[in-house]
Amino acid sequence: NAGVTQTPKFQVLKTGQSMTLQCAQDMNHEYMSWYRQDPGMGLRLIHYSVGAGITDQGEVPNGYNVSRSTTEDFPLRLLSAAPSQTSVYFCASRTSRDADYGYTFGSGTRLTVV
Amino acid sequence: GNSVTQMEGPVTLSEEAFLTINCTYTATGYPSLFWYVQYPGEGLQLLLKATKADDKGSNKGFEATYRKETTSFHLEKGSVQVSDSAVYFCALSPGGTGRRALTFGSGTRLQVQP
């Protein structure tokens, strides 16, 4: 089924460890974004990309890196995990052809840093 | 900057009651407005949208009207069902040619009792 696939669904990390959250979409969407969801704060933008090779920072980029080598994939890297990064992470994508088209979201990755 | 403010939840209603979830926004220019819904354990799904003033978005019995004069986009449903229990997010995408990533409100949890 077409959509946005995130892996893993759950992850527990120790403080200081690094990891990559994977995101892939098969809809040929140009725009992709990473959000984190924390209780009472809605979703906050971490990084986004408007196409392969083009990325930019969002509202809360510190501690995270991204790259976009292909249209399909947009991995999010945690360089040195901290308890403050405990959150649910969502990847989302949309086409660039319709500026008001809604984003398609993945099912999320629940990350706990201990 | 852009911001979205939603009424705090949880909102608890009996089945067949009328629902209103308030949403107001701050943005420059002419943003597009969205309502997303998140069912337990899932990612966000686009519920409805409106792209210009006085537009009414509707889907699955839910409606919201883009009111530029009051900078509001309140979500309404005439008769809620238990299956509507979820978290609802109001969001905006800024107008113009800049970044089109979404800015979210903090979310409103709706609980519908039989």
Side-chain angles (χ1 to χ4, degrees), chain A residues 5-111:
Chain A
T5 301
Q6 290 185 238
T7 56
K9 292 189 181 302
F10 302 94
Q11 183 69 49
V12 178
L13 287 179
K14 294 182 179 179
T15 297
Q17 286 185 316
S18 62
M19 79 159 294
T20 299
L21 280 63
Q22 301 292 344
C23 176
Q25 53 89 10
D26 57 2
M27 298 170 285
N28 203 32
H29 284 174
E30 295 86 352
Y31 288 20
M32 297 186 75
S33 304
W34 276 102
Y35 293 87
R36 59 177 289 172
Q37 182 181 24
D38 301 295
M41 301 187 73
L43 280 78
R44 293 180 291 169
L45 181 66
I46 304 171
H47 285 287
Y48 71 100
S49 170
V50 297
I54 306 170
T55 64
D56 203 352
Q57 297 182 348
E59 183 182 354
V60 288
N62 292 341
Y64 307 95
N65 273 358
V66 292
S67 60
R68 185 94 180 272
S69 57
T70 66
T71 299
E72 294 77 19
D73 300 301
F74 191 43
L76 178 72
R77 299 181 186 84
L78 279 69
L79 308 174
S80 177
S84 61
Q85 293 178 305
T86 294
S87 188
V88 181
Y89 292 84
F90 288 101
C91 180
S93 72
R94 74 161 177 86
T95 178
S96 67
R97 290 184 296 278
D98 180 349
D100 299 309
Y101 191 86
Y103 275 86
T104 299
F105 281 79
S107 58
T109 294
R110 184 175 294 275
L111 175 67

Side-chain angles (χ1 to χ4, degrees), chain B:
Chain B
N2 301 323
S3 66
V4 176
T5 302
Q6 290 181 235
M7 60 188 291
E8 290 193 17
V11 174
T12 302
L13 296 174
S14 298
E15 207 165 21
E16 299 184 1
F18 184 86
L19 168 70
T20 299
I21 300 177
N22 290 336
C23 170
T24 57
Y25 68 90
T26 301
T28 56
Y30 301 92
S32 295
L33 302 174
F34 303 85
W35 277 101
Y36 281 83
V37 58
Q38 185 180 30
Y39 298 103
E42 299 184 9
L44 279 71
Q45 303 174 24
L46 178 64
L47 180 60
L48 53 84
K49 67 177 183 180
T51 59
K52 60 182 185 294
D54 299 325
D55 268 2
K56 177 185 285 187
S58 61
N59 187 25
K60 299 181 180 179
F62 291 89
E63 293 183 340
T65 301
Y66 187 165
R67 302 288 189 197
K68 188 165 178 64
E69 64 276 13
T70 55
T71 62
S72 65
F73 193 54
H74 304 322
L75 183 68
E76 297 181 336
K77 186 175 186 183
S79 176
V80 294
Q81 306 299 313
V82 172
S83 58
D84 294 327
S85 297
V87 181
Y88 293 82
F89 291 92
C90 186
L92 71 81
S93 176
T97 56
R99 179 202 306 176
R100 300 307 295 269
L102 294 169
T103 297
F104 284 90
S106 57
T108 302
R109 182 176 300 277
L110 171 65
Q111 299 172 335
V112 181
Q113 298 175 337

